[in-house]
Amino acid sequence: MAKESEERKKVKEKLIKKNDKLSFSLSLYVKVSRMVQDLNRLARANRLVEPEDVLYSIQQEGAPKGKFYVVRNY
């Protein structure tokens, strides 16, 4: 089994409730966006959300300069 990244661990541990947010540097955008896609795919496969919904999303609005948020939607 592959080693889990620090960003993935952080998202899983910190984003527990609806509307929780974590900020990340824009330099990690590609890595984190792929991770969010994977977590959403797994959430659909495990039936945590409906097939058309997303559990985690990326949000630029309101984030400090040079950062973005990962938000839990449900």
Side-chain angles (χ1 to χ4, degrees):
M1 190 167 150
K3 191 172 184 179
E4 194 170 45
S5 72
E6 292 300 317
E7 291 82 13
R8 184 179 292 249
K9 287 179 188 176
K10 187 176 177 183
V11 167
K12 284 183 176 181
E13 291 172 3
K14 303 266 180 162
L15 297 180
I16 297 171
K17 298 180 296 185
K18 183 178 179 180
N19 294 328
D20 281 350
K21 292 181 182 181
L22 278 178
S23 66
F24 290 96
S25 171
L26 280 176
S27 63
L28 293 173
Y29 184 82
V30 173
K31 182 177 183 179
V32 172
S33 65
R34 287 182 186 149
M35 177 201 63
V36 166
Q37 289 174 354
D38 186 44
L39 288 172
N40 284 325
R41 182 187 55 77
L42 289 173
R44 286 187 205 104
N46 292 330
R47 298 181 189 262
L48 298 175
V49 294
E50 295 296 319
E52 64 276 355
D53 295 333
V54 291
L55 185 59
Y56 301 106
S57 63
I58 293 178
Q59 180 182 18
Q60 181 71 35
E61 290 181 30
K65 187 174 182 175
K67 295 196 178 264
F68 65 94
Y69 290 124
V70 174
V71 181
R72 182 173 175 137
N73 298 313
Y74 292 95

